[in-house]
Amino acid sequence: MNHSTNALPLTSSNTALALGFTGTLGNIDAYISAVNRLPMLTHEEEIRLATALRDENDLAAAQQMVMSHLRLVVSIARGYLGYGLPHADLIQEGNIGLMKAVKRFDPDHGVRLVSYAMHWIKAEMHEYILKNWRLVKVATTKAQRKLFFNLRSHKLGFESMTQSQIDNLAETLNVKREEVIEMEMRLAGRDMALDAPTDDDDDKFAPIAYLASDNNEPTKVLEAQHYDQLQTVGLETALENLDARSRRIIEARWLANDDGSGATLHDLAAEFSVSAERIRQIESAALKKMKGSLAAYA
């Protein structure tokens, strides 16, 4: 996946080099084994490296901080395998969160990087899961996201929750029980292709075959009929109520060509031997009169 972040410039190539890989990183087991062999930083080392990054923009220090916490990302990603998404992708997203955390980490706050980074790592994984778990998003607001992950952890198997379980979860998360029921229904649903998956006649009745068509929707039909009436009977009646000169001006200006490129004010001024301003005044009065005539068809 491509990401545009302000994270530190820790690329896959120099990460692989630091881990001792000489080939591709396609083997997830080899990657996990390698990161678990990397030494953890002591509190003193962490403070020294974080200070060097903050005060001197020492990217080597940043890389060392990231590398020593890659095992944390692997551990957190393991907890999200139940969503059916690739372990490697979860780790990749978590690594981006780790790099963001390292960039923003302040050693003077007295918090260990491992505690600070967990929020950023989980945030990136949550975003990835919500975008890729379903074609249709199941959680869009902050409250729905919280409910989504809590509901996933409370559900056992694929069976529906009992009424008491729904009530307990709603009370625990301080949400309405209706919201819990709605989210459970979203989780229980599955994606379905709109198009027929095969060429067999038995499979031709995919959802797209019985979706409603706007062409036959009653209000659309009435709107189309009304528009046609305005374009024919209504317009002709409005033109008949104009005097000959006004009708000539309106027809030449607006009805001569389908693309609206009618005669100019100066063209008609020369034809009627008046000023262009006088033609504009006649046109304005004629349009106002036609608007009143067309109102009867509204």
Side-chain angles (χ1 to χ4, degrees), residues 77-283:
R78 192 175 293 117
Y80 293 101
L81 292 178
Y83 293 94
L85 297 172
H87 194 188
D89 288 350
L90 288 168
I91 292 174
Q92 177 177 320
E93 299 299 318
N95 285 345
I96 292 172
L98 173 60
M99 288 187 283
K100 289 181 177 180
V102 168
K103 182 177 181 180
R104 294 164 172 80
F105 182 64
D106 188 343
D108 293 341
H109 287 171
V111 179
R112 292 298 302 268
L113 177 58
V114 63
S115 300
Y116 180 75
M118 288 182 67
H119 163 77
W120 293 93
I121 294 169
K122 289 183 177 180
E124 291 296 323
M125 290 185 184
H126 286 184
E127 189 69 21
Y128 168 72
I129 291 170
L130 290 171
K131 286 182 178 179
N132 295 276
W133 192 62
R134 288 279 177 79
L135 291 177
V136 178
K137 291 185 178 180
V138 295
T140 55
T141 66
K142 184 177 181 180
Q144 287 178 342
R145 292 178 179 218
K146 180 180 178 182
L147 182 57
F148 171 84
F149 286 103
N150 278 279
L151 190 59
R152 283 281 301 179
S153 62
H154 280 76
K155 279 180 66 69
L156 300 176
F158 296 97
E159 296 184 1
S160 300
M161 298 178 69
T162 64
Q163 295 300 317
S164 60
Q165 289 175 325
I166 292 174
D167 292 335
N168 291 336
L169 184 58
E171 182 178 357
T172 301
L173 299 179
N174 193 26
V175 297
K176 297 179 180 179
R177 66 188 311 276
E178 290 78 10
E179 295 176 347
V180 178
I181 295 173
E182 180 184 357
M183 183 57 68
E184 185 185 24
M185 291 176 62
R186 294 187 185 187
L187 290 173
R190 63 185 181 88
D191 295 326
M192 180 180 294
L194 287 176
D195 297 324
T198 67
D199 293 331
D200 297 337
D201 291 337
D202 293 340
D203 295 325
K204 285 298 183 183
F205 296 98
I208 199 171
Y210 48 81
L211 289 178
S213 171
D214 287 343
N215 295 333
N216 298 321
E217 203 272 323
T219 58
K220 296 291 184 181
V221 173
L222 290 175
E223 287 178 3
Q225 292 176 347
H226 179 63
Y227 182 77
D228 289 341
Q229 190 177 28
L230 280 175
Q231 289 284 76
T232 54
V233 180
L235 182 60
E236 183 60 34
T237 301
L239 289 172
E240 288 176 354
N241 290 333
L242 300 177
D243 60 80
R245 184 173 62 173
S246 296
R247 177 165 182 164
R248 164 62 186 154
I249 291 173
I250 293 298
E251 289 179 337
R253 290 275 289 156
W254 299 102
L255 303 176
N257 299 311
D258 293 335
D259 60 1
S261 58
T264 67
L265 293 175
H266 292 286
D267 292 337
L268 292 169
E271 179 179 337
F272 290 101
S273 301
V274 295
S275 66
E277 174 60 21
R278 179 56 184 155
I279 296 295
R280 188 196 65 77
Q281 293 173 353
I282 296 173
E283 176 189 37

Side-chain angles (χ1 to χ4, degrees), residues 41-56 61 65 68-69 105-113:
L41 297 175
T42 65
H43 193 191
E44 291 73 19
E45 290 173 332
E46 186 175 289
I47 293 176
R48 177 178 58 81
L49 293 170
T51 302
L53 172 61
R54 183 193 62 190
D55 299 342
E56 305 170 19
M65 293 170 66
S68 65
H69 288 79
F105 182 64
D106 188 343
D108 293 341
H109 287 171
V111 179
R112 292 298 302 268
L113 177 58

